[in-house]
Amino acid sequence: KNEVEQSPQNLTAQEGEFITINCSYSVGISALHWLQQHPGGGIVSLFMLSSGKKKHGRLIATINIQEKHSSLHITASHPRDSAVYICAASNTDKLIFGTGTRLQVFP
Amino acid sequence: GAGVSQTPSNKVTEKGKYVELRCDPISGHTALYWYRQSLGQGPEFLIYFQGTGAADDSGLPNDRFFAVRPEGSVSTLKIQRTERGDSAVYLCASSPLSVGELFFGEGSRLTVL
């Protein structure tokens, strides 16, 4: 069992739909990161959170420390949101990555 | 530049050769990480530097892999006697703190023939 698991692995949506990607972790963490990776591109940090909720534009990230669970939400999804979204648990000095969720948003 | 810079962006080499991959972090970032990402997989941790020292090298797969950061800025990942299984994208990230937001480079794609 991976220490960081994401679901779903693949997700397709129509433009405008509300999207949720889930992340569960089994290790103790100092922070939880949500990252975005476009095909052939580098990784961009979306959020780093250790409690509660953060919002940036159409993106919202939440974390429940007791349940060891985090969610990334995308409101009013757009084709340009198509990418791989990666959850990573920060455990002292290293990140433990999930395998990612591949999102495709169709017009 | 303002971001993390990695060179080369692509490297094709033959089995058994020596390879160096360079990472130039954001100025002032003390923490530097190397990760490796195989096709269809999430990144996996290789090594973490805090300043000049390797604070955690537990992710290096074997003694063919070595990394340095002699002046606490630029880092070089060195791979000896490359094998086909070393083919992957090697990602570098830096952070102003040991547990802080990470800034990733575009990666160096290594192909071992």
Side-chain angles (χ1 to χ4, degrees), chain A residues 30-31 33 35 37 40-45 48 86 90 92-95 97-99 102, chain B residues 33 35 37 40-45 48 55-56 58 91 98-102 104-106:
Chain A
S30 48
H33 299 253
L35 310 167
Q37 186 171 33
I43 294 176
V44 174
S45 176
M48 186 183 79
I86 304 171
S90 189
T92 60
D93 57 15
K94 68 181 75 163
L95 284 186
F97 291 83
T99 53
R102 185 175 300 277
Chain B
Y33 304 79
Y35 298 92
Q37 186 174 26
Q41 304 293 316
E44 58 175 339
F45 169 79
Y48 158 62
D56 186 341
S58 61
L91 296 164
S98 60
V99 181
E101 184 181 4
L102 290 175
F104 285 82
E106 294 289 316

Side-chain angles (χ1 to χ4, degrees), chain B residues 1-64:
Chain B
V4 177
S5 175
Q6 289 189 248
T7 55
S9 55
N10 276 288
K11 175 71 177 179
V12 180
T13 191
E14 293 180 343
K15 181 174 179 292
K17 299 291 188 183
Y18 170 81
V19 166
E20 288 191 353
L21 306 175
R22 176 189 167 108
C23 173
D24 202 337
I26 292 173
S27 178
H29 282 195
T30 57
L32 185 146
Y33 304 79
W34 283 100
Y35 298 92
R36 178 169 71 173
Q37 186 174 26
S38 300
L39 192 63
Q41 304 293 316
E44 58 175 339
F45 169 79
L46 295 177
I47 187 169
Y48 158 62
F49 287 92
Q50 182 60 247
T52 60
D56 186 341
D57 64 358
S58 61
L60 295 177
N62 52 59
D63 62 5
R64 295 187 298 105

